[in-house]
Amino acid sequence: MSLIVYGAPLSPFVRKLRLCLLEKGLDYQLEIVTPYGQPDWYRELNPLGRIPAFRDGELTLADSSVICQYLEERYPQHLPLFGKDPAEAARVRWLEKYGDYELAPLCTFGVFRNRLLKPMLGQACDEQAVQGVLHEKLPQHFDYLERTLGQGEFFLGEQFSQADLAIFTQLLNMEHGGEALDAARWPALTSHYQRIKARPSVQNVLPGELKVIAKIAGQR
């Protein structure tokens, strides 16, 4: 198989890439590489040591956003995920960046890492930091996303896109960390989250993630 994803299932960036591949109907192989104790050869794929990295035949790439945009251009006959014109593509890229750079530090590194990963590594959860993220930092971002969605099913209105995957993947890590959106305060964003979660692509990867989480919980 020529398409290989290197990474770990619970990484939101690895998940985003896997969902992109599944939505496009592209077969791929997942080779497990974690952020910790990486083999020396992995630095040849990503000199920063971050996940995911990706291989398509002889081509290797790093950074989930770069890889997903490559897939969009490399396989144009498959489901388009970056809109139908330059304006929509720019909107998708903006929201993907928003998920990667604004939500990730809070949903994944603030909530998920403290609640799940730190205990697994024998470290104490900083619950004060988690509460600060939940009550002081995330609400302004959820307000923005609620306004941006408006009455649309997706961030491009009626058209599903990479933007939906980029936002969803961070919110799923927040849920893995034991927190859910307030449906009364953010009804559109909550409905969007549940809509994306129900997609076949997500249901394809979610059982494996839940098994990993159960294993982590059993090791505590």
Side-chain angles (χ1 to χ4, degrees):
M1 185 177 295
S2 65
L3 303 184
I4 303 174
V5 175
Y6 301 88
L10 295 182
S11 161
F13 307 106
V14 172
R15 180 190 302 121
K16 181 178 68 171
L17 173 55
R18 295 178 71 193
L19 293 178
C20 175
L21 286 157
L22 288 166
E23 290 288 348
K24 286 183 169 296
L26 295 169
D27 292 330
Y28 72 95
Q29 175 183 341
L30 176 65
E31 291 200 11
I32 300 297
V33 175
T34 70
Y36 314 102
Q38 294 174 346
D40 293 339
W41 56 261
Y42 186 70
R43 292 286 174 154
E44 298 177 8
L45 301 177
N46 188 340
L48 301 177
R50 297 171 185 164
I51 55 175
F54 177 77
R55 181 183 298 277
D56 184 358
E58 296 300 314
L59 174 69
T60 60
L61 295 169
D63 187 275
S64 61
S65 295
V66 170
I67 299 166
C68 290
Q69 291 178 32
Y70 163 77
L71 292 171
E72 181 79 357
E73 297 174 8
R74 173 67 176 84
Y75 299 97
Q77 70 275 28
H78 293 260
L79 176 70
L81 291 175
F82 284 80
K84 61 180 182 296
D85 57 42
E88 288 188 350
R91 182 176 177 82
V92 170
R93 290 187 175 98
W94 157 245
L95 287 167
E96 183 171 17
K97 182 180 178 67
Y98 197 92
D100 288 356
Y101 289 90
E102 302 302 325
L103 295 187
L106 304 175
C107 294
T108 292
F109 297 104
V111 178
F112 173 79
R113 183 174 64 177
N114 267 297
R115 290 273 183 80
L116 205 70
L117 296 187
K118 280 188 174 181
M120 179 188 70
L121 297 172
Q123 303 171 7
C125 168
D126 186 344
E127 188 60 29
Q128 183 176 354
V130 172
Q131 294 304 316
V133 164
L134 293 172
H135 299 292
E136 299 171 17
K137 297 179 180 180
L138 276 173
Q140 62 182 321
H141 296 298
F142 294 161
D143 288 344
Y144 169 72
L145 294 170
E146 182 82 7
R147 292 194 304 271
T148 302
L149 271 170
Q151 300 301 312
E153 288 192 8
F154 306 109
F155 282 103
L156 289 184
E158 301 305 310
Q159 184 179 359
F160 175 76
S161 75
Q162 186 69 20
D164 302 297
L165 297 179
I167 300 301
F168 168 81
T169 193
Q170 301 298 338
L171 297 180
L172 181 57
N173 266 28
M174 187 179 79
E175 181 179 333
H176 285 339
E179 298 295 336
L181 287 163
D182 183 342
R185 183 169 179 180
W186 300 292
L189 186 59
T190 301
S191 295
H192 175 270
Y193 176 77
Q194 295 299 336
R195 190 176 300 117
I196 305 305
K197 189 177 181 181
R199 291 182 73 87
S201 62
V202 176
Q203 292 304 308
N204 179 285
V205 303
L206 190 55
E209 294 191 19
L210 295 177
K211 287 181 180 179
V212 174
I213 291 174
K215 184 178 180 180
I216 290 172
Q219 292 174 345
R220 293 178 183 174

